Amino acid sequence: MRDTASWYRTFGEVEARGQSAIYEEWALSVSEDAPVLALIDQLPLQKRQPNLVFACSRLLGAPEGPYAGFRDWLVHHWPSVAAETAHRSTQTNEARRCASLLPALAMIPGPLALLEVGASAGLCLYPDRYSYRYDGGEPLHPSDGPSTVLLECATNGLVPVPTRLPEIAWRAGIDLAPLDVSDAGDTLWLQTLVWPEQHERRDRLRAAIAIARLDAPRLVRGDAIDALPALAAEAPAGATLVVVASAVLVYLPAPERMRFVETVRALGVDWVSLEGVGGLPAVQAAIPADGGPPGRFVLALNERPLAWTGPHGQSLDWFAGESPTAIDAGPPH
């Protein structure tokens, strides 16, 4: 079982550092605060996540400031926070991840039918509706003109930046508790999941929600494994079905994660993953480098690693020797 103190310490030192000074201070302070750790340890293991505890607290009115004020509020309101975590999950829906996914999607012959597992509100199902700019260069826009969402990404290595966006013929997602972009409560939760001080991310989220509202995605409530085959069968003929897994497999226990892998392989489709190191054993074993930058994810196509990527799509470090062609990327499993 993961030690809660080390979990919060790692979150503060690796994930929050440089991203949110408030979350960094909160996490590091919690890691050394035995009474608060004792409260958090009352929660089921998957509900002890720093992201979840902090977001539920902020949703209920916790002050976004120094740890002392947050601690006083948290201890006083702990029963409410614990109750809130019971029916919440970290459903961060960062549209910017599409900037990392785009080069992999462009390697797959289209038109594409996208099926995302752990889709949250489905904002990563619209890679064709956003504008992109890599390394501050000329923007890449949708066919109908510039988008209200511009996704910036820094690259390193021979990243095969596409010259046009993929054609998406169908889009759908699966989530245990899908979020509705037309529901005020759901959109408030999405905004609360954005860390303090990250005003640009919050603005981008709101703009992406507005785009999704114009053409709401098909989202199915269900388990990523059990619901996948039936939803995949709905994809239209003539489109290449692509399963997308973005920062979701970490929440599955290892045996369930491997069941998911076997389910996708059995479908015989292409799939793009954007997961932490160790999320997929076949990907981890094939990474052509040791370690990797702290907090980075691995972009992979059909379990072949392509690049290190920032967890929110802010960067792409392409692995040397990786081909930008669909054929060289390997056939579907």
Side-chain angles (χ1 to χ4, degrees):
M1 182 177 293
R2 184 180 299 193
D3 174 69
T4 305
S6 63
W7 193 350
Y8 277 72
R9 186 179 307 110
T10 300
F11 179 85
E13 293 176 347
V14 176
E15 298 184 47
R17 184 160 294 169
Q19 303 296 322
S20 169
I22 289 175
Y23 269 15
E24 180 183 354
E25 183 195 359
W26 286 4
L28 294 179
S29 298
V30 166
S31 74
E32 298 176 350
D33 192 329
V36 171
L37 287 171
L39 292 176
I40 295 173
D41 278 336
Q42 296 172 10
L43 301 174
L45 180 60
Q46 287 301 320
K47 300 297 184 178
R48 300 174 195 170
Q49 303 165 44
N51 262 339
L52 183 61
V53 172
F54 293 165
C56 286
S57 299
R58 291 170 52 226
L59 185 70
L60 296 174
E64 296 182 4
Y67 179 69
F70 169 71
R71 184 192 190 281
D72 289 345
W73 185 95
L74 182 66
V75 171
H76 183 72
H77 294 88
W78 179 251
S80 298
V81 173
E84 194 69 27
T85 65
H87 67 274
R88 296 286 185 184
S89 58
T90 50
Q91 295 174 284
T92 304
N93 206 182
E94 177 51 71
R96 193 179 188 180
R97 286 184 179 136
C98 287
S100 291
L101 297 171
L102 188 65
L105 294 175
M107 296 164 70
I108 304 170
L112 306 182
L114 291 188
L115 196 169
E116 184 183 13
V117 296
S120 185
L123 301 184
C124 287
L125 288 169
Y126 296 88
D128 56 331
R129 306 285 176 84
Y130 305 139
S131 292
Y132 302 82
R133 183 158 56 206
Y134 292 88
D135 301 312
E138 286 296 316
L140 174 63
H141 297 303
S143 58
D144 58 354
S147 172
T148 54
V149 174
L150 175 63
L151 305 178
E152 306 256 10
C153 182
T155 73
N156 184 45
L158 299 177
V159 178
V161 176
T163 56
R164 60 184 177 85
L165 299 184
E167 178 186 352
I168 310 298
W170 180 84
R171 64 194 95 222
I174 302 169
D175 201 280
L176 288 174
L179 298 178
D180 184 351
V181 291
S182 66
D183 182 88
D186 284 354
T187 57
L188 176 61
W189 176 237
L190 281 171
Q191 293 177 64
T192 306
L193 285 168
V194 176
W195 298 356
E197 306 117 326
Q198 295 186 336
H199 306 297
E200 181 184 355
R201 279 188 67 197
R202 194 169 291 108
D203 290 343
R204 183 168 57 245
L205 172 68
R206 290 169 179 155
I209 288 172
I211 288 175
R213 282 175 175 165
L214 297 175
D215 180 20
R218 168 147 167 67
L219 298 179
V220 172
R221 183 182 301 271
D223 179 87
I225 302 167
D226 298 334
L228 184 57
L231 186 56
E234 296 183 19
T240 304
L241 179 59
V242 182
V243 172
V244 176
S246 172
V248 66
L249 299 183
V250 67
Y251 298 110
L252 297 180
E256 293 299 292
R257 200 177 309 156
M258 294 314 300
R259 276 189 61 217
F260 171 79
V261 170
E262 293 301 327
T263 299
V264 177
R265 288 174 177 171
L267 288 174
V269 301
D270 286 287
W271 69 301
V272 177
S273 61
L274 188 63
E275 299 288 341
V277 178
L280 292 167
V283 172
Q284 183 179 15
I287 292 173
D290 293 328
R296 295 293 183 92
F297 285 12
V298 181
L299 172 69
L301 172 58
N302 297 327
E303 298 182 82
R304 175 173 176 173
L306 300 178
W308 294 115
T309 175
H312 296 145
Q314 63 269 52
S315 61
L316 265 176
D317 293 282
W318 208 255
F319 293 137
E322 288 306 312
S323 169
T325 67
I327 295 175
D328 287 344
H333 290 284

